[in-house]
Amino acid sequence: MGLAEGSRNASNALGFIRTTEGHLNELTSILQRSQSVAVQSWVGTEANEPITSPEVVTALGEENLAEIAEKTGADSGALAAYVADQLPVLIDQISPDGQITSDPAVLDQAYTEFENKAPFTATARIGMAAVRPAEFIILQFTQEVGQG
C-alpha cells in the first residue's frame, strides 16, 4: 500500500469515526431531509415507520451492501434483514428528542445494543482503522439516502 492510499484510508477512517456534535448534527440533517417518511420518523418523536430488506438494498445499493457486509463479516442478506429490523430502533435511541444526541453514554449504549444482536463482528475495518459497525452502517445508509 502506497503512502497516498494509506493517507486516503486514514482520512476515510477518520471521517467514519468522528462523533463530534457538528458531525452528528449533519447526520440529523441528512436523515430529516430524506425523502423517506420512514427514515424521518426514526429521528422524530412519533412512532417508527418500518423499512424492508429490499428497501435497505435499494437505499444502500447492492455493491455498497456487499462492501459493508465484507467489512463487518456479515452475509449480505442477513445484514439487509438486520438493518431493516434494527436501524429504526438504533436511530430512534440516539435521537430521543428529535435530534441526534452527542451524549457519548447514549451513543455507546445504543451502538452496543445494536451490535450485540447483529450478524456481524464487533468491529468493521475501514482502511487500517477499526470502527464500530453501527456507526459505519448508519453513515453509509444516511449518505446514500441523503443523496437520493
Side-chain angles (χ1 to χ4, degrees):
M1 171 172 27
L3 184 57
E5 184 179 353
S7 176
R8 191 170 42 253
N9 284 342
S11 179
N12 288 342
L14 288 174
F16 283 113
I17 60 176
R18 269 185 297 187
T19 56
T20 63
E21 188 169 350
H23 181 69
L24 291 168
N25 286 338
E26 180 181 339
L27 176 58
T28 301
S29 196
I30 289 169
L31 286 165
Q32 289 174 331
R33 282 193 319 264
S34 165
Q35 299 302 310
S36 168
V37 172
V39 173
Q40 290 175 2
S41 76
W42 308 341
V43 176
T45 54
E46 66 276 358
N48 289 338
E49 294 290 325
I51 185 170
T52 65
S53 293
E55 288 172 317
V56 169
V57 174
T58 299
L60 288 174
E62 288 186 36
E63 286 182 18
N64 283 339
L65 183 63
E67 181 182 344
I68 294 168
E70 179 184 329
K71 290 182 185 299
T72 61
D75 170 76
S76 290
L79 182 60
Y82 184 75
V83 169
D85 185 53
Q86 291 297 312
L87 187 61
V89 175
L90 174 61
I91 298 294
D92 193 53
Q93 286 177 329
I94 68 173
S95 60
D97 300 317
Q99 294 289 319
I100 303 289
T101 184
S102 58
D103 183 337
V106 172
L107 293 170
D108 184 60
Q109 180 179 349
Y111 291 169
T112 299
E113 287 177 17
F114 181 82
E115 291 160 0
N116 282 345
K117 304 174 203 166
F120 48 71
T121 58
T123 58
R125 302 296 308 174
I126 313 298
M128 298 185 63
V131 298
R132 297 197 74 161
E135 185 175 10
F136 180 64
I137 289 167
I138 289 170
L139 293 174
Q140 286 292 319
F141 185 84
T142 54
Q143 285 173 0
E144 295 303 319
V145 168
Q147 293 171 6

